Amino acid sequence: MNDSVSLLHFAIAIPLLAAFATLWAGKLGRPAVQIVSVTGFALPTLLAIFAWVSYNPEVAGGYDFVTRHNTGLEAVGISLHLGLNGVALPLFVMAAVVGLAAGLYAAQSKAENLSRYLFCLLVMQSGLMGVFASIDVFFFYFFHELALIPTFVMVGVWGGRERSYAAMKMTIYLTLGAMLSLAGLIALYVKSGAESFDLITLKAHLAAAPLSDTVSTYAFGLLLFGFGILVSLWPLHTWAPLGYGAAPSSAAMLHAGVLKKFGLYGLIQIAVPLIPGGVGQWEGWIIWLALGNVVIVGLVTMAQRDLKQMLGYSSVMHMGYAFLGIAAMSVIGVSGAVIMMVAHGLTVALLFMLSTMIHHRTQTFEMEEMGGLSKKAPVLSAFFVCGMMASIALPGPGLANFWGEFGIFVSLWQFKPWVLCVAATGIIISAIYALRAIARVFFGTESEDFQEVQKEHTVIDMTWAERVPALILIIVLFFIGFFPKTISSSLNDALESEPVYATTEAEQGGSH
């Protein structure tokens, strides 16, 4: 541990500095804004890749690139303590990659007042990098709020239909979730007696002096439902499809792809290791609500006719699998949940971006008003089919999503086989809505509405400016799919160091 400026500081600070530089560059014209903003997204990605390649899982305490800086709030246990362990590292890299793709796509958008649009996006990116780099729980929460506030602004100002209602609903739900999780974190800090928000200190203190059963139950409940709202846990999920449907594409990519993982990450990294006694008290709630995500929200997804709404509900549905992996409380289950979070982040960002490209060519999100688009845009068709196959975790080594769901299903078989049987129905549901969407949008006969659109607009395939951000996401998806150990190796090591996961794995007789 040292007081030097590390690559994590740069990864957080560069997007924030670029955000303000973008406002200044707005006076110089659109090209200057694009160059500054893309630089603000590209440099953190390079730093994240360097961290991935050079990460040392054998460092003391499991955290690499560790730095701590005084904030003047040390009297209340708050310091800027940054570092990455095996759980945080893949999500940190995923946040950078999705941010780069979203930034590249946003830089070429026709958004009114592009410099302010990119300013908000860059502030979001800075917060996202900070969330997964924070060891101090206070800053973990602070960076989440830093990323969340621009989301409301972007939906309300640059959003599509029903943007005011969507922004208001998102604000109410997400503020409620943030307040509940904050209450849980404060309760944890106060009742632990550790006098520090530092996660490493909290773990050591609570290992020696665990919380009482009553405190564990209520503190974990606050964190479960607070984080659950932020992750769109059923039935507190209705803000998500509406918000993503109204949000501009790049904002939806960052929020659905990255920021929504905050709650799951908080459960895995903070709630479960620090309050293992509370997990058993809420196990039934986690299972049934997560199954609600998979089955009930899955059926609602099947009923959607609006492409972007369907993707929004699909995103909510798949979060249920991650909750079930956490409920299994084993290394293989939680490892599967993290891999799925990474793969889901890349996939949903890709699909939201592609859905907007489809809208630009068909002038609608209504799937019934499309059809036959593959004849006009075969490359767009191939990208979308690839994204949907990844989303439904098509079996095979080439798609990262498969390894996440596979690990979760194996853990559920060891944990509660009946839960696996119910959760497996989501495979059928996913296949139905995915194949139906592909068929209605790209194949079959062109609808009369689409034919009318073509009389006024020339429909072209993806341009290279559109292909580059999509290729970035797909290449990373395939890389993880072919080489899952690049994530799972250090991830499993980090989880095995947590007694609550390792003990449960041994009790279930599982292996990884």
Side-chain angles (χ1 to χ4, degrees):
M1 189 179 301
N2 58 68
D3 293 323
S4 64
V5 177
S6 71
L7 66 84
L8 301 184
H9 291 89
F10 285 115
I12 297 168
I14 287 173
L16 195 59
L17 293 173
F20 289 98
T22 298
L23 294 179
W24 172 80
K27 301 175 183 178
L28 303 178
R30 185 181 179 91
V33 171
Q34 292 173 320
I35 292 171
V36 172
S37 62
V38 169
T39 302
F41 287 108
L43 291 180
T45 306
L46 295 176
L47 292 171
I49 293 172
F50 176 79
W52 191 3
V53 173
S54 59
Y55 174 75
N56 178 12
E58 298 180 359
V59 291
Y63 282 89
D64 202 357
F65 315 109
V66 176
T67 56
R68 187 199 296 271
H69 287 278
N70 294 335
T71 60
L73 299 173
E74 282 69 30
V76 291
I78 298 172
S79 63
L80 183 58
H81 194 186
L82 304 177
L84 296 172
N85 67 354
V87 177
L89 178 64
L91 293 164
F92 182 79
V93 177
M94 182 268 287
V97 172
V98 172
L100 176 60
L104 287 171
Y105 189 61
Q108 57 183 294
S109 74
K110 298 179 180 178
E112 184 179 352
N113 206 327
L114 183 62
S115 61
R116 294 184 183 180
Y117 179 77
L118 290 167
F119 169 84
C120 290
L121 209 62
L122 283 160
V123 173
M124 282 186 70
Q125 184 66 15
S126 176
L128 294 173
M129 303 305 289
V131 163
F132 301 116
S134 294
I135 298 177
D136 187 278
V137 175
F138 173 85
F139 277 99
F140 163 75
Y141 183 87
F142 169 81
F143 282 120
H144 171 262
E145 296 306 295
L146 180 65
L148 186 59
I149 293 171
T151 307
F152 303 143
V153 176
M154 295 187 76
V155 173
V157 176
W158 290 281
R161 60 186 181 186
E162 298 186 338
R163 62 186 182 186
S164 297
Y165 176 64
M168 182 60 68
K169 190 167 187 176
M170 286 184 72
T171 301
I172 293 172
Y173 271 81
L174 297 182
T175 300
L176 175 61
M179 291 299 100
L180 286 176
S181 58
L182 178 61
L185 294 173
I186 292 175
L188 186 61
Y189 165 75
V190 173
K191 294 297 183 180
S192 69
E195 299 183 352
S196 174
F197 279 95
D198 184 270
L199 183 57
I200 297 174
T201 302
L202 281 169
K203 283 182 181 179
H205 188 86
L206 289 173
L211 299 173
S212 68
D213 290 344
T214 301
V215 173
S216 294
T217 300
Y218 286 106
F220 190 88
L222 286 170
L223 293 175
L224 171 63
F225 285 99
F227 288 146
I229 293 173
L230 299 175
V231 184
S232 62
L233 180 64
W234 182 86
L236 304 170
H237 68 285
T238 54
W239 62 268
L242 178 66
Y244 299 148
S249 296
S250 294
M253 291 169 70
L254 280 183
H255 194 285
V258 186
L259 190 58
K260 197 160 71 167
K261 308 305 183 291
F262 168 84
L264 291 167
Y265 177 75
L267 289 173
I268 294 169
Q269 193 86 304
I270 300 174
V272 176
L274 297 186
I275 324 175
V279 182
Q281 298 292 331
W282 293 96
E283 179 184 283
W285 283 85
I286 298 173
I287 292 172
W288 285 108
L289 295 181
L291 289 175
N293 276 74
V294 174
V295 179
I296 298 176
V297 178
L299 293 174
V300 174
T301 307
M302 285 175 54
Q304 299 305 305
R305 298 295 179 264
D306 181 291
L307 178 61
K308 205 171 183 183
Q309 287 288 304
M310 186 208 75
L311 295 176
Y313 278 104
S314 170
S315 172
V316 173
M317 172 193 174
H318 284 89
M319 290 297 93
Y321 288 126
F323 274 105
L324 291 174
I326 296 171
M329 289 279 288
S330 63
V331 171
I332 192 169
V334 179
S335 177
V338 174
I339 294 173
M340 183 178 181
M341 288 159 63
V342 173
H344 177 273
L346 298 165
T347 305
V348 75
L350 172 67
L351 290 172
F352 273 124
M353 180 171 60
L354 295 176
S355 70
T356 300
M357 295 180 190
I358 293 170
H359 179 271
H360 289 163
R361 288 156 176 80
T362 62
Q363 305 298 304
T364 183
F365 283 114
E366 293 295 329
M367 291 184 282
E368 300 289 349
E369 299 175 8
M370 302 180 191
L373 185 56
S374 64
K375 299 174 184 177
K376 305 290 183 180
V379 176
L380 177 58
S381 172
F383 273 84
F384 189 83
V385 170
C386 182
M388 289 304 292
M389 293 301 101
S391 176
I392 65 176
L394 185 72
L399 297 168
N401 308 62
F402 169 74
W403 298 114
E405 285 196 21
F406 180 75
I408 291 170
F409 286 165
V410 170
S411 71
L412 291 178
W413 178 255
Q414 298 168 348
F415 174 53
K416 292 182 184 294
W418 72 267
V419 176
L420 171 61
C421 294
V422 177
T425 61
I427 299 174
I428 301 172
I429 293 172
S430 298
I432 291 173
Y433 70 68
L435 295 175
R436 179 186 294 167
I438 292 170
R440 286 179 174 173
V441 175
F442 291 100
F443 300 101
T445 305
E446 295 177 358
S447 67
E448 293 182 3
D449 298 275
F450 187 34
Q451 291 175 359
E452 290 297 318
V453 168
Q454 293 181 69
K455 293 178 182 179
E456 300 180 6
H457 303 276
T458 301
V459 178
I460 62 173
D461 207 347
M462 292 175 71
T463 64
W464 274 106
E466 293 175 320
R467 294 182 192 186
V468 170
L471 278 171
I472 290 172
L473 297 171
I474 286 179
I475 288 171
V476 178
L477 273 171
F478 274 100
F479 179 81
I480 298 173
F482 281 109
F483 306 103
K485 272 200 168 185
T486 55
I487 288 181
S488 64
S489 180
S490 57
L491 175 58
N492 287 345
D493 289 341
L495 293 173
E496 286 173 345
S497 68
E498 296 289 353
V500 62
Y501 297 128
T503 301
T504 309
E505 182 89 354
E507 290 174 351
Q508 292 177 0
S511 61
H512 57 284

